[in-house]
Amino acid sequence: MSPAEAVAPPSCTVVVGLGRSGLGAARLLQARGETVVVIESADTPEHRALADQLQSEALAVRLGVPLSLEAFQDLPLPPAAVVVSPGIPWNHPVLEALRTRGVQVQGEIVPAWQASRDVPWIGITGTNGKTTVTCLVQHLLQQAGRDAPLCGNVGISAAEVVLQRRLEQGPRPDWLVVELSSYQIEAAPSVAPAIGVWTTLTPDHLERHGTLAAYRAIKRSLLERSRVRILNADDPDLRHHADSWDQAEWITAGPREALPAGLDPVLWIDGDDQVRGRQGPLFPASALAMPGAHNRQNLLLAVAVGLHAGLEPAVMEAACRCFPGVPHRLERLRSLKGITWFNDSKATNYDAAEVALRALEGPLVVLAGGQSKQGEAGAWLEQLRQRAAAVVLYGAARQEFAGLLESSGYGGVVKQEQDLEGAVALAATLAPALGCRGVLLSPACASFDQYTSFEARGDHFRRLVLALDTDS
C-alpha cells in the first residue's frame, strides 16, 4: 500500500466531563465524524438521564469513571485525543502522562476553533471586565446589523454555537464574540483570534497557575496570537509591560497626555467627555450609562473593536445608549426608601470588589464573604474605609475578613451572618439607620462555599432584595 493509501488505525476522542462545555464539544466532534466517548466521574440520577439522552444520539457515555489512566485503558478504541473542561487543571498528572504517550490533550474550546476557521473570532480576556466588554461588543455588533453570537466563558459554549450555526445548516456568523478565561487559553494554544482584547491583569487563580508571571503569560499568549491586539493602558500591570509589545493598540479612559511618553492610544476621553480617536471626536462617553471609571475603559475597548469591525461612531453611540448592562456586575436592582441596592456578585476577588466600591458614592453598607482567594487586600480595605459605613460579612470567609478589617483600622460597623439571607435582612436595617445611599453585594470571594457559581449567588441576592417589604 502506498503512503497516500495508508489509513490511520481506528481511534477515538475522549471527552472528560458531562458539563455544558463537554457536552457541546462531544456533540460537535461527533457531528464532524469522530468516534467519541464521554467519561464522567459522577453517577447521579441527573447524570444517568443525560447519559441516556446522549446514548440515544449514538454517543458513548461512561459514568462513575474518575480521571485516571485506567479509564483510558478500558476503552473500545485507543484514544487519539482527550478533550477536557476548564475545571480540570492543565497540569493534572493523568493529562501529563497521556501527553508523554502521544495522546493529544486539548481544551473544549479547540474543537469549536477547528470547526469555525472561516469565521473571525473576537477573543476577550482579562482578570476583570472581560464579561462586560464581551457583552458590549456583541451588543454593538448586533445593533449594527452584524450576526455575532456570544459564547465561550459566558453564555453558551463556543462548540454549541458552532454546532448550531454551521453543522445544522444555520447561517454563517459575521463574527464570533468569545470570552476566554485563563483556563481556556492555556488549554487552547492553537486559538488565534482576528481581534484580541485584554482588559486587566491582577492576581487571580494563583492556586491554579502558581505565580502572577505564569498567569500573565497565559493571558498574553492569546493576544500574541491575535492579528489585532487591543489593550487597556489604564491597567497598571498592562501599562508596566507596554514597552514589551511591538504591535498593540492602547486605550485610556483619561486624556492621552496623561499616559507615559511613547504610549500613544488609539482612543481616549478628554475633559469634554468626548470619546476621541486620532481622526477626531466620536461621541460622548456618557452614552454608556454605567457607573465607574472601569466601565469607561470597557467602553473604549469595545469601541476599538467596533471600529475594526467597520462600525460607524453614530451607530455605536446609539447602541451604547440602549445597552442594558450585565447581570451581577454592578447591577442596579431597586431603590427602596431612598436606598439603592446593587448586585456585584461577579466581584470574586479583592481587585474587582475595590473597583465596584470606587464606582459608587458612599456611604454604603457592603456585603462581603464566601470562599476567600489569595490576593492583596490592601486597596480593597482602603476603599471600605472611605465608602462603607458598615460591612456585613457572611459565609466561610466571615471570620477571616473580620480579622482583616480589624487589623486595617476600619472604623465602621462590622457584623457577621452565616448566610446571605441573614446578611440582606441585616443590611436592610443598617442602611437607613446609618444614613447610607446604597447597599452593595460585592463579595471579594468565590461563591463555592454556599453556591454553585457567582450567578447562583447573585440570583439569590436579587430574589432576596426584590422580596424586601416596602413597609418594613
Side-chain angles (χ1 to χ4, degrees):
M1 181 180 294
S2 68
E5 296 171 324
V7 177
S11 62
C12 68
T13 297
V14 180
V15 175
V16 182
L18 266 179
R20 185 162 193 174
S21 60
L23 287 175
R27 285 174 166 142
L28 177 59
L29 288 164
Q30 184 198 46
R32 300 189 75 199
E34 298 192 28
T35 301
V36 180
V37 178
V38 182
I39 63 172
E40 166 62 52
S41 59
D43 188 5
T44 66
E46 293 78 12
H47 285 98
R48 289 185 213 116
L50 191 53
D52 289 342
Q53 172 61 39
L54 291 178
Q55 285 165 350
S56 72
E57 301 170 18
L59 271 165
V61 180
R62 296 189 170 195
L63 299 178
V65 179
L67 180 57
S68 66
L69 288 176
E70 290 73 23
F72 296 93
Q73 294 167 357
D74 190 29
L75 297 172
L77 293 171
V82 173
V83 176
V84 297
S85 73
I88 299 174
W90 191 234
N91 61 351
H92 191 290
V94 172
L95 302 185
E96 296 281 18
L98 289 170
R99 291 186 187 99
T100 63
R101 299 181 182 190
V103 177
Q104 184 182 40
V105 181
Q106 57 191 223
E108 43 77 36
I109 208 81
V110 173
W113 169 253
Q114 293 172 338
S116 62
R117 295 298 299 273
D118 60 337
V119 178
W121 281 36
I122 301 169
I124 299 165
T125 195
T127 309
N128 300 307
K130 59 182 176 293
T131 298
T132 298
V133 173
T134 301
C135 293
L136 183 54
V137 165
Q138 187 212 24
H139 180 75
L140 296 182
L141 291 168
Q142 287 192 327
Q143 292 294 307
R146 307 295 200 275
D147 185 1
L150 177 152
C151 57
N153 194 50
V154 64
I156 68 174
S157 72
E160 289 176 286
V161 167
V162 174
L163 178 63
Q164 175 187 351
R165 302 296 295 273
R166 295 295 305 277
L167 301 178
E168 294 182 357
Q169 305 304 311
R172 175 187 175 277
D174 298 311
W175 298 89
L176 282 181
V177 185
V178 190
E179 178 183 314
L180 293 164
S181 71
S182 58
Y183 297 171
Q184 291 172 312
I185 296 168
E186 71 175 340
S190 62
V191 172
I195 301 174
V197 179
W198 193 350
T199 61
T200 56
L201 195 287
T202 55
D204 200 10
H205 305 304
L206 300 189
E207 68 284 351
R208 169 94 167 239
H209 300 308
T211 66
L212 179 62
Y215 176 53
R216 181 189 298 113
I218 291 168
K219 296 282 192 186
R220 180 174 179 130
S221 69
L222 179 77
L223 274 290
E224 289 177 337
R225 296 191 300 269
S226 300
R227 188 167 70 246
V228 174
R229 306 162 179 174
I230 300 171
L231 294 92
N232 177 12
D234 294 336
D235 180 81
D237 191 276
L238 298 184
R239 186 172 62 248
H240 179 72
H241 293 89
D243 60 359
S244 67
W245 293 93
D246 57 349
Q247 294 181 357
E249 297 186 2
W250 297 86
I251 63 88
T252 176
R256 65 192 303 191
E257 295 80 13
L259 292 180
L263 193 52
D264 185 21
V266 295
L267 292 174
W268 63 93
I269 300 175
D270 273 341
D272 58 2
D273 193 54
Q274 289 288 313
V275 175
R276 293 182 177 271
R278 292 170 180 170
Q279 305 305 313
L282 302 181
F283 58 84
S286 59
L288 184 68
M290 297 177 69
H294 67 293
N295 277 318
R296 293 201 158 196
Q297 298 164 22
N298 295 336
L299 166 66
L300 295 189
L301 291 166
V303 169
V305 174
L307 291 173
H308 276 287
L311 306 190
E312 294 295 328
V315 172
M316 289 192 283
E317 177 184 357
C320 286
R321 293 190 183 280
C322 65
F323 182 59
V326 183
H328 315 299
R329 292 157 181 84
L330 277 180
E331 176 188 7
R332 185 183 183 279
L333 297 179
R334 71 183 298 188
S335 181
L336 181 62
K337 298 180 181 179
I339 298 167
T340 305
W341 292 71
F342 293 92
N343 169 21
D344 195 47
S345 181
K346 180 60 174 68
T348 60
N349 56 50
Y350 296 125
D351 298 291
E354 179 207 352
V355 166
L357 285 164
R358 287 182 180 277
L360 301 177
E361 292 187 34
L364 302 165
V365 175
V366 176
L367 280 60
Q371 184 181 88
S372 64
K373 290 183 173 181
Q374 296 180 37
E376 172 52 54
W380 173 64
L381 292 166
E382 176 59 31
Q383 288 303 310
L384 288 174
R385 286 194 293 269
Q386 292 184 23
R387 288 175 165 79
V391 181
V392 181
L393 305 172
Y394 69 92
R398 60 188 185 274
Q399 292 183 354
E400 176 187 348
F401 277 11
L404 286 174
L405 287 165
E406 182 179 4
S407 64
S408 73
Y410 174 73
V413 176
V414 179
K415 297 289 186 181
Q416 295 186 41
E417 290 286 339
Q418 183 172 351
D419 55 29
L420 194 54
E421 185 170 0
V424 168
L426 181 55
T429 301
L430 287 172
L434 297 173
C436 291
R437 293 172 176 264
V439 177
L440 169 66
L441 171 67
S442 193
C445 278
S447 59
F448 303 124
D449 61 331
Q450 296 178 335
Y451 298 94
T452 57
S453 65
F454 75 81
E455 293 96 341
R457 175 173 62 191
D459 289 341
H460 186 210
F461 179 68
R462 187 188 299 110
R463 291 194 300 272
L464 292 169
V465 171
L466 296 180
L468 288 172
D469 188 349
T470 57
D471 298 323
S472 61

